[in-house]
Amino acid sequence: MAEEWNQDCGEAVYRSRDPIKNLKIRVKLQRVSPVSALVQRVQEQQEEGGRGHIALRTLKDTSGSRPGGDEEEVVISWQEKLFSEFEYELYRNEAACCTPLDRQYHQDIVSLERRGGRKNIRVFTYTDYDRYTNLEEHCQSVTNSERETSTFLAERMANVRRRRQDKRLLDGIGIRNRLITWKPSEEFIKNNHIINTPVQTMYIMADLGPSGKLGLKENEHVLCTIRVDTNGVITLKPDVTGTKGPYRLEVESHKRELWSYTLQHVSESVQQEEQEREEILYKDLYSRHKEYLSNLVGSDFEMPPNGALRVFINGEIVSAHEYEYDNLYVHFFMELPKHWSSPAFQELSGVTQSCRSKTHERETVAYFCYPFSFEMFLSEDVESEDALQWPVLYFEVLSLDFWQRYRVEGYGSVVLPQTPGMHNITAQTWRPVEQGTVSELRRFFIGGSPELEDLTYVRIPGTFQGERLSRFGFRTETTGRVSFRFHSIHQSRSFLDRSSLRRRMQSVLDRLGGSSQQSSILNVLDAFQRARRRMQQARESLPKDLLSATKALQLEQSTVAHQSTSNA
């Protein structure tokens, strides 16, 4: 039966918590047969009447006795240096050693010669310290077609190098990362384009040249590439063979030759005692890390003050639609009515970035996607439901021209949602206009337009004390609309105590008019309680009615008896 080749030459990714220095790979390299001899043997079998199939074991048996290192088996550890024939001859000469690494290799070769020379012949390694680059890794082709042309993205990404942390000394305190580079150069952008963790690489190589002519660079071939990063991720290309067949390597030289090799993982297994000790160590480490995280978070859950409702608003200004000019931005602020408050550090206003518009489904849209958040507290000292008002978000949409002059595109307001959850709200805007064309010409050429001194005039201003607010004579024009997205969260101590909620049905949570699911549930419970009280009242009033009816019947019977006696 013929031995099957292993065609899977892709990468295999592993993750290990053990020290990488314990990794060991056994490499077994063997020459199978020249292809010409293989064709000749197939032709001979066809002449003898066979089907033309030939087992690889037969070829191994006929070619296994060749001299010159046709079969070799080596166990290689992580970052273990095995010298090739070329390196062995190069570093033996001390005059050719220029760098500290070259001199270190010279000392290693001298010590090898004292112990009888190197044991490997064809199999050698390139460690992470060697000056070696595998050109196949930088190949931009995706298929094996000869007519394939690399894309623009592949060419640009091929010139991009890995990102390195740029560190410097600040004020003698220590080394810190440079977080922001205000004026990046083209070289800086190229060097810092891709984020990648530090990786150590090791190549297991083979010199597949003819016997007696070893040491030529063109005969060096990569058997396996091993990469290890700082997170313990190990990448093998190709993977260890295991129970699969050997890998095939065909060499084009003065005559075509076929080689096979296998990769076996032969790292020593950890002892049972060491494994138990390691598990105890990891458990202790995880418990300490858990305690550290719990100390950072704290044991007490943050609760709002007594008698207050905390409202969290995580909002987003999504987009602006159908405005006259481009380069839009939005200025907004939050107005807190009576009985509402916010923390001292809370900012109740903001400005978005400027955004250019584009056409989407026959309308101009500017996508901001600008997030904001507010935290507010509502006191329960509200006298009535009419006195309760929710915060209002006022905003104005402005545009910038080429000379950085702004124009008012519209005013609007949004009342914050009263129910918790996600809400999508679209607000229509308007802007004040003047009679005549002079103001519009001024708006187009030199910028500027009628503005509101007080943005709360969009609704009823907080400073207004009268009964009626007249806007007679105030000319406006409808402009575009702005889309908002709100995520509202309500938190109160009253949500935890149902009994207190039943006793205090006149609290602020009930006067919100169904502002939360909790108040809706309480309304249902209150309705059940009222129905139960009515049934009890009906049961209590039932005996009294029966008693009155009995007395009336007895009185009627006595009256009838008296009348019959008098007639007799």
Side-chain angles (χ1 to χ4, degrees), residues 433-447:
V433 295
E434 296 180 356
Q435 294 183 355
T437 59
V438 177
S439 61
E440 295 300 321
L441 291 174
R442 184 187 304 112
R443 170 183 169 85
F444 179 80
F445 285 104
I446 63 175

Side-chain angles (χ1 to χ4, degrees), residues 5 29-36 122 206-211 214 216-223 247-261:
W5 296 110
L29 178 67
Q30 186 175 12
R31 187 201 305 267
V32 177
S33 175
V35 179
S36 58
R122 294 185 180 271
D207 189 351
L208 304 182
S211 301
L214 301 180
L216 300 178
K217 284 289 185 180
E218 57 268 16
N219 295 329
E220 295 181 359
H221 297 270
V222 180
L223 300 183
Y247 292 106
R248 173 179 176 175
L249 194 60
E250 188 173 342
V251 180
E252 295 286 348
S253 58
H254 65 285
K255 58 180 180 179
R256 301 177 65 183
E257 294 182 346
L258 189 64
W259 295 79
S260 67
Y261 67 96

